[in-house]
Amino acid sequence: MDKYLDVRFERVEKALASLIDSIAKYNPSEKLAEDLATADKELARGLKELERHQNNYARIQQLRDETAALDAQTKEIIGTLWTMRKEVRNTQTTSYSSTAPKYQFDTADLLRYARRISRNTLPPPGVTNGIEPAAAAASPPAPAEAAPASPARGGTLTPSASFNNGPAAAPTPSANGANEPPSQATVSSSATELPVHLKPMVNLHDGAVFFPWPGEDKIRSGALASYQALSDRGVDPRGYDPEEEEARRAEEERAKKEAEEAARMEREEAERRMREERERMARDRERARQEAERRGSVAVGGGVAPPKSQFTFLDGLDDDDDD
Amino acid sequence: MASEPMSVGSSAMDPPVPPSTGELKYGGFTRFELELEFVQSLANPQYLNHLASRKLLTNPSFVAYLDYLQYWNRPPYLKYLTYPGPTLKNLQLLQQEKFRQDIISPDLVQALIVEGMRAGVEWHREG
């Protein structure tokens, strides 16, 4: 490029020099002037070339930079891909083999099952175990402060209240500071809400924590615990069914009671019979005595003959043979 | 009789007494009920610590029993679990020797509890 321009500059210089010489020699020739003009035009063209050349060069540089940047980016991407592949390969996963047997189930079953486990997989609304809803993602120090401070506060984050607390809590990083502005805002906004210091007392879920597993009290009141209690009492629980035992014992008691009842009835019957017997005998004796009296009176006054139907044992004492 | 329906002795609220099939009952509970209860109480990390402190997790027959309990992973037994996630996860962890040794440390128990509580609240949360 430089040589290209140098040639042109030299032509211009030479033409100019010769023109000046000819003018100095008082021999102005048009031809020399025209030469100068042409040389000047050539120079102009050469400069334009130079400009184009420089533009192209700049463009080439720019493109080179771009390719370099893109190359670097590609290398970086490949690097991250490789590390990620390594990580993914090494994580423990449960493999679902496609050759495992497939089981049929229908949506009704699925819904029933979902209803049964939903109590143990999702916390009831308002119970958050002290985990802040929006601030947890926004500011890492906030959950760290909030976690010890708010097993008491977490319960009051009902969905409506958390909507107030969320946008308010995100800009204020301190957990204590977040309490004041939203509470004041809510108190001033609606006069029908409870004052803040009373809200926890009405909330049934206040301070509740949710565990996705059975708690110790549930385990202790379960079947295994009663099995342990039985074996501690010395009863071998194998084959032992307390309900059957209960039923059998109740049966026995009932049978015993019935037997007692029957015995008592028997006894009463017997007593009654004996009483009747005795009464009859007493009555008979009474009658016999009256009979005797009457007979005596018959012997004295020849009274009424004893009615024939009465059979008295004293007939044998009838002394008819006193002549 | 108190166990008959519609008799004076029974109330309408009592569930009907299932007929006894002659199956062997352990203390009034079937083996199915007892094993179901046991496998689900494995979901509680403190219970695991309790088992480890009783030196049960080093007992080879107990370890074999834990291996046998893996039948709860499959239908038709799977649908009887009411705490399926933590139960099956802990059952899987218990198959590993290292976990059985580590669970005796209270720090690990506490970490599991915290993580479990956090997961219970956050798993369904969007974003």
Side-chain angles (χ1 to χ4, degrees):
Chain A
M1 195 83 232
D2 296 341
K3 286 196 196 71
Y4 183 73
L5 284 176
D6 282 344
V7 163
R8 283 185 170 44
F9 274 120
E10 274 187 34
R11 270 182 69 183
V12 170
E13 272 188 44
K14 238 186 277 163
L16 188 59
S18 53
L19 186 59
I20 289 177
D21 279 342
S22 70
I23 290 177
K25 290 186 188 120
Y26 290 104
N27 191 15
S29 68
E30 276 188 19
K31 187 175 162 302
L32 289 176
E34 278 181 24
D35 278 347
L36 182 58
T38 356
D40 190 49
K41 262 187 222 127
E42 285 292 308
L43 181 62
R45 238 183 273 141
L47 286 174
K48 262 196 211 104
E49 271 296 316
L50 175 66
E51 193 189 22
R52 212 163 54 94
H53 167 83
Q54 281 188 340
N55 285 346
N56 287 347
Y57 186 68
R59 189 129 191 275
I60 288 176
Q61 285 292 88
Q62 196 190 18
L63 289 172
R64 262 201 217 119
D65 288 339
E66 261 187 57
T67 43
L70 288 170
D71 278 343
Q73 204 182 7
T74 322
K75 276 205 198 92
E76 194 195 312
I77 288 178
I78 292 181
T80 21
L81 269 178
W82 187 74
T83 37
M84 239 194 284
R85 183 172 184 271
K86 210 158 58 118
E87 268 177 47
V88 166
R89 276 280 175 99
N90 294 338
T91 45
Q92 299 272 12
T93 50
T94 47
S95 59
Y96 298 104
S97 81
S98 56
T99 56
K102 307 249 189 282
Y103 299 101
Q104 297 281 39
F105 56 91
D106 56 357
T107 46
D109 264 347
L110 199 56
L111 285 174
R112 261 179 272 143
Y113 183 65
R115 198 159 60 139
R116 216 156 17 101
I117 66 174
S118 64
R119 190 168 19 138
N120 306 323
T121 42
L122 261 189
V127 177
T128 51
N129 279 356
I131 295 171
E132 302 289 309
S139 49
E145 293 179 10
S150 72
R153 194 157 82 84
T156 61
L157 283 174
T158 57
S160 57
S162 70
F163 189 67
N164 281 332
N165 273 340
T172 58
S174 81
N176 289 328
N179 245 335
E180 301 313 320
S183 69
Q184 289 174 3
T186 46
V187 164
S188 58
S189 63
S190 68
T192 56
E193 279 193 24
L194 272 182
V196 168
H197 66 279
L198 282 183
K199 268 203 184 127
M201 301 181 193
V202 185
N203 184 10
L204 287 171
H205 284 306
D206 183 50
V209 269
F210 168 75
F211 296 106
W213 52 68
E216 183 171 344
D217 47 350
K218 254 201 192 161
I219 298 180
R220 280 195 199 278
S221 56
L224 283 176
S226 71
Y227 187 101
Q228 182 69 40
L230 275 179
S231 73
D232 285 341
R233 283 214 299 261
V235 181
D236 178 20
R238 190 188 172 87
Y240 174 84
D241 187 356
E243 285 186 8
E244 281 181 26
E245 286 291 316
E246 276 293 321
R248 216 175 334 129
R249 228 181 299 136
E251 268 302 320
E252 286 180 13
E253 273 196 36
R254 219 179 307 119
K256 215 191 323 155
K257 234 183 286 167
E258 280 181 6
E260 269 189 37
E261 276 288 323
R264 202 158 34 90
M265 299 288 289
E266 278 291 323
R267 248 180 286 128
E268 279 183 12
E269 269 299 317
E271 271 183 21
R272 201 156 36 86
R273 257 183 265 128
M274 278 184 50
R275 233 181 296 127
E276 278 181 13
E277 203 52 49
R278 255 183 264 127
E279 275 181 14
R280 216 181 321 128
M281 289 196 47
R283 243 184 286 135
D284 289 342
R285 257 183 257 124
E286 201 45 53
R287 237 180 280 128
R289 216 183 316 124
Q290 283 180 2
E291 187 60 36
E293 277 188 29
R294 226 176 288 124
R295 289 220 180 215
S297 67
V298 163
V300 168
V304 183
K308 262 188 256 177
S309 59
Q310 235 178 1
F311 175 69
T312 63
F313 289 106
L314 299 171
D315 276 350
L317 294 175
D318 250 341
D319 259 358
D320 275 340
D321 37 330
D322 48 330
D323 292 314
Chain B
M1 310 249 177
S3 55
E4 275 176 7
M6 296 306 164
S7 74
V8 177
S10 78
S11 75
M13 286 313 179
D14 286 342
V17 177
S20 83
T21 53
E23 183 187 347
L24 183 62
K25 286 207 174 181
Y26 299 84
F29 300 100
T30 53
R31 187 173 129 194
F32 175 78
E33 290 173 342
L34 286 172
E35 291 194 354
L36 175 62
E37 220 186 86
F38 177 66
V39 81
Q40 294 199 103
S41 31
L42 292 179
N44 188 336
Q46 283 182 329
Y47 187 67
L48 295 180
N49 190 29
H50 170 84
L51 290 177
S53 66
R54 298 284 194 92
K55 305 277 186 278
L56 281 169
L57 294 184
T58 46
N59 184 345
S61 43
F62 194 80
V63 175
Y65 181 64
L66 290 175
D67 184 47
Y68 154 76
L69 279 180
Q70 290 193 302
Y71 71 84
W72 288 103
N73 274 301
R74 303 187 307 274
Y77 302 102
L78 181 59
K79 69 182 182 204
Y80 292 102
L81 296 180
T82 44
Y83 300 90
T87 304
L88 294 176
K89 183 189 94 170
N90 283 0
L91 189 59
Q92 205 180 18
L93 283 174
L94 276 173
Q95 307 301 323
Q96 298 172 18
E97 171 73 32
K98 186 162 190 316
F99 184 75
R100 291 198 294 270
Q101 288 167 353
D102 288 344
I103 195 65
I104 200 157
S105 100
D107 292 333
L108 180 61
V109 171
Q110 195 56 34
L112 279 177
I113 291 178
V114 165
E115 190 194 329
M117 283 169 60
R118 172 178 223 96
V121 174
E122 286 195 332
W123 70 269
H124 61 285
R125 222 178 248 161
E126 305 278 320

Coordinates of all heavy atoms in Angstrom, one line a residue, chain A residues 269-299:
Chain A
E269 N -87.8 -72.6 93.6 CA -88.8 -73.5 93.4 C -88.9 -74.5 94.5 O -90.0 -74.8 95.0 CB -88.5 -74.3 92.1 CG -89.0 -73.7 90.8 CD -90.5 -73.7 90.8 OE1 -91.2 -74.6 91.2 OE2 -91.0 -72.6 90.4
A270 N -87.7 -75.1 94.8 CA -87.7 -76.1 95.9 C -88.3 -75.5 97.2 O -89.1 -76.2 97.8 CB -86.3 -76.6 96.0
E271 N -87.8 -74.3 97.5 CA -88.3 -73.8 98.7 C -89.8 -73.6 98.7 O -90.5 -73.9 99.7 CB -87.7 -72.4 98.9 CG -86.3 -72.5 99.7 CD -85.8 -71.1 99.9 OE1 -86.5 -70.1 99.9 OE2 -84.5 -71.0 100.1
R272 N -90.2 -73.1 97.6 CA -91.7 -72.9 97.5 C -92.5 -74.2 97.6 O -93.4 -74.2 98.4 CB -92.0 -72.2 96.1 CG -93.3 -71.5 96.1 CD -93.4 -70.4 95.1 NE -92.8 -70.8 93.9 CZ -93.3 -71.5 92.9 NH1 -94.5 -71.9 93.0 NH2 -92.6 -71.8 91.8
R273 N -91.9 -75.2 97.0 CA -92.6 -76.5 97.1 C -92.6 -77.0 98.5 O -93.7 -77.4 99.0 CB -91.9 -77.5 96.2 CG -92.7 -77.8 94.9 CD -92.1 -78.8 94.1 NE -91.2 -78.2 93.1 CZ -90.0 -78.6 92.9 NH1 -89.4 -79.5 93.6 NH2 -89.3 -78.0 91.9
M274 N -91.5 -76.8 99.2 CA -91.4 -77.3 100.6 C -92.4 -76.5 101.4 O -93.1 -77.0 102.3 CB -90.0 -77.1 101.1 CG -89.1 -78.3 100.7 SD -87.5 -78.2 101.5 CE -87.8 -77.9 103.2
R275 N -92.5 -75.2 101.2 CA -93.4 -74.4 101.9 C -94.8 -74.8 101.7 O -95.6 -75.0 102.7 CB -93.2 -72.9 101.5 CG -93.0 -72.0 102.8 CD -92.9 -70.5 102.4 NE -91.7 -70.3 101.5 CZ -91.8 -69.7 100.4 NH1 -93.0 -69.2 99.9 NH2 -90.7 -69.5 99.6
E276 N -95.1 -75.1 100.5 CA -96.5 -75.5 100.2 C -96.8 -76.9 100.9 O -97.9 -77.0 101.5 CB -96.7 -75.7 98.7 CG -97.0 -74.4 98.0 CD -97.1 -74.7 96.5 OE1 -97.3 -75.9 96.1 OE2 -97.1 -73.7 95.7
E277 N -95.8 -77.8 100.8 CA -95.9 -79.1 101.5 C -96.2 -78.9 103.0 O -97.2 -79.4 103.5 CB -94.6 -79.8 101.3 CG -94.7 -81.3 101.4 CD -95.7 -81.9 100.5 OE1 -95.8 -81.6 99.3 OE2 -96.4 -82.7 101.1
R278 N -95.4 -78.0 103.6 CA -95.5 -77.8 105.0 C -96.9 -77.2 105.3 O -97.6 -77.6 106.2 CB -94.4 -76.9 105.5 CG -93.4 -77.6 106.3 CD -92.3 -76.6 106.9 NE -91.2 -76.5 106.0 CZ -90.7 -75.4 105.5 NH1 -91.3 -74.3 105.9 NH2 -89.7 -75.4 104.7
E279 N -97.3 -76.3 104.5 CA -98.6 -75.6 104.8 C -99.7 -76.7 104.7 O -100.6 -76.7 105.5 CB -98.8 -74.5 103.7 CG -98.2 -73.2 104.1 CD -98.5 -72.2 103.1 OE1 -99.4 -72.4 102.2 OE2 -97.8 -71.1 103.1
R280 N -99.6 -77.5 103.6 CA -100.6 -78.6 103.5 C -100.7 -79.4 104.7 O -101.8 -79.8 105.2 CB -100.4 -79.4 102.2 CG -101.7 -79.7 101.5 CD -101.5 -80.5 100.3 NE -100.4 -80.1 99.5 CZ -99.5 -81.0 99.0 NH1 -99.6 -82.3 99.3 NH2 -98.5 -80.6 98.3
M281 N -99.5 -79.8 105.2 CA -99.5 -80.7 106.3 C -100.1 -80.0 107.5 O -100.8 -80.6 108.3 CB -98.0 -81.1 106.6 CG -97.5 -82.1 105.5 SD -96.0 -83.0 106.0 CE -96.3 -83.6 107.6
A282 N -99.7 -78.7 107.7 CA -100.2 -78.0 108.8 C -101.8 -78.0 108.7 O -102.5 -78.2 109.7 CB -99.6 -76.6 108.8
R283 N -102.2 -77.7 107.5 CA -103.7 -77.6 107.3 C -104.3 -78.9 107.7 O -105.3 -79.0 108.3 CB -104.0 -77.2 105.9 CG -104.7 -75.9 105.8 CD -105.1 -75.6 104.3 NE -103.9 -75.2 103.6 CZ -103.7 -75.6 102.4 NH1 -104.5 -76.4 101.8 NH2 -102.6 -75.3 101.7
D284 N -103.7 -80.0 107.2 CA -104.2 -81.3 107.5 C -104.3 -81.6 109.0 O -105.3 -82.1 109.5 CB -103.4 -82.4 106.8 CG -103.6 -82.4 105.3 OD1 -104.6 -81.8 104.8 OD2 -102.7 -82.9 104.5
R285 N -103.2 -81.3 109.6 CA -103.2 -81.5 111.1 C -104.3 -80.7 111.7 O -105.0 -81.2 112.6 CB -101.8 -81.1 111.6 CG -101.0 -82.3 111.9 CD -99.7 -82.0 112.5 NE -98.6 -82.1 111.5 CZ -97.8 -81.1 111.3 NH1 -97.9 -79.9 111.9 NH2 -96.9 -81.2 110.3
E286 N -104.4 -79.5 111.3 CA -105.5 -78.6 111.9 C -106.9 -79.3 111.7 O -107.7 -79.4 112.6 CB -105.4 -77.3 111.1 CG -106.0 -76.1 111.7 CD -105.8 -75.8 113.1 OE1 -104.6 -75.8 113.5 OE2 -106.8 -75.7 113.9
R287 N -107.0 -79.8 110.5 CA -108.3 -80.4 110.2 C -108.6 -81.6 111.1 O -109.6 -81.8 111.6 CB -108.4 -80.8 108.7 CG -109.5 -80.1 108.0 CD -109.6 -80.6 106.5 NE -108.6 -79.8 105.7 CZ -107.7 -80.3 104.9 NH1 -107.7 -81.7 104.8 NH2 -106.9 -79.6 104.3
A288 N -107.5 -82.4 111.2 CA -107.6 -83.6 112.0 C -108.0 -83.2 113.4 O -108.9 -83.9 114.1 CB -106.3 -84.4 112.0
R289 N -107.4 -82.2 114.0 CA -107.7 -81.8 115.3 C -109.1 -81.3 115.4 O -109.8 -81.7 116.4 CB -106.7 -80.6 115.7 CG -106.4 -80.7 117.2 CD -105.5 -79.6 117.7 NE -104.5 -79.2 116.8 CZ -104.3 -78.0 116.3 NH1 -105.1 -77.1 116.7 NH2 -103.4 -77.8 115.4
Q290 N -109.6 -80.6 114.5 CA -111.0 -80.2 114.5 C -111.9 -81.4 114.5 O -112.9 -81.5 115.2 CB -111.3 -79.3 113.3 CG -110.8 -77.9 113.5 CD -111.1 -77.0 112.2 OE1 -111.7 -77.5 111.3 NE2 -110.6 -75.8 112.3
E291 N -111.5 -82.3 113.7 CA -112.2 -83.6 113.5 C -112.4 -84.2 114.9 O -113.5 -84.7 115.3 CB -111.5 -84.5 112.5 CG -112.2 -85.7 112.2 CD -113.6 -85.5 111.5 OE1 -113.7 -84.5 110.8 OE2 -114.5 -86.3 111.9
A292 N -111.2 -84.3 115.6 CA -111.2 -84.9 116.9 C -112.1 -84.2 117.8 O -112.9 -84.8 118.6 CB -109.8 -85.0 117.4
E293 N -112.1 -82.9 117.8 CA -112.9 -82.1 118.7 C -114.4 -82.4 118.4 O -115.2 -82.7 119.3 CB -112.7 -80.6 118.5 CG -111.5 -80.1 119.2 CD -111.4 -78.6 119.1 OE1 -112.5 -78.0 118.9 OE2 -110.3 -78.1 119.2
R294 N -114.7 -82.4 117.1 CA -116.1 -82.7 116.8 C -116.5 -84.0 117.2 O -117.6 -84.2 117.7 CB -116.2 -82.5 115.3 CG -117.5 -81.7 114.9 CD -117.6 -81.5 113.4 NE -116.6 -80.5 112.9 CZ -115.8 -80.8 112.0 NH1 -115.8 -82.1 111.4 NH2 -114.9 -80.0 111.6
R295 N -115.6 -85.0 117.0 CA -116.0 -86.3 117.4 C -116.2 -86.4 118.9 O -117.1 -87.1 119.4 CB -114.8 -87.3 117.1 CG -114.7 -87.5 115.6 CD -114.4 -88.9 115.3 NE -114.4 -88.8 113.8 CZ -114.8 -89.8 113.1 NH1 -115.2 -90.9 113.6 NH2 -114.8 -89.7 111.8
G296 N -115.4 -85.7 119.7 CA -115.6 -85.7 121.1 C -117.0 -85.1 121.4 O -117.7 -85.6 122.3
S297 N -117.3 -84.1 120.7 CA -118.6 -83.5 121.0 C -119.8 -84.4 120.6 O -120.8 -84.4 121.2 CB -118.7 -82.1 120.3 OG -118.8 -82.3 118.9
V298 N -119.5 -85.2 119.6 CA -120.5 -86.2 119.2 C -120.7 -87.2 120.3 O -121.8 -87.6 120.6 CB -120.1 -86.8 117.8 CG1 -120.9 -88.1 117.6 CG2 -120.3 -85.9 116.7
A299 N -119.6 -87.6 120.8 CA -119.7 -88.7 121.9 C -120.5 -88.1 123.1 O -121.2 -88.8 123.7 CB -118.3 -89.1 122.3

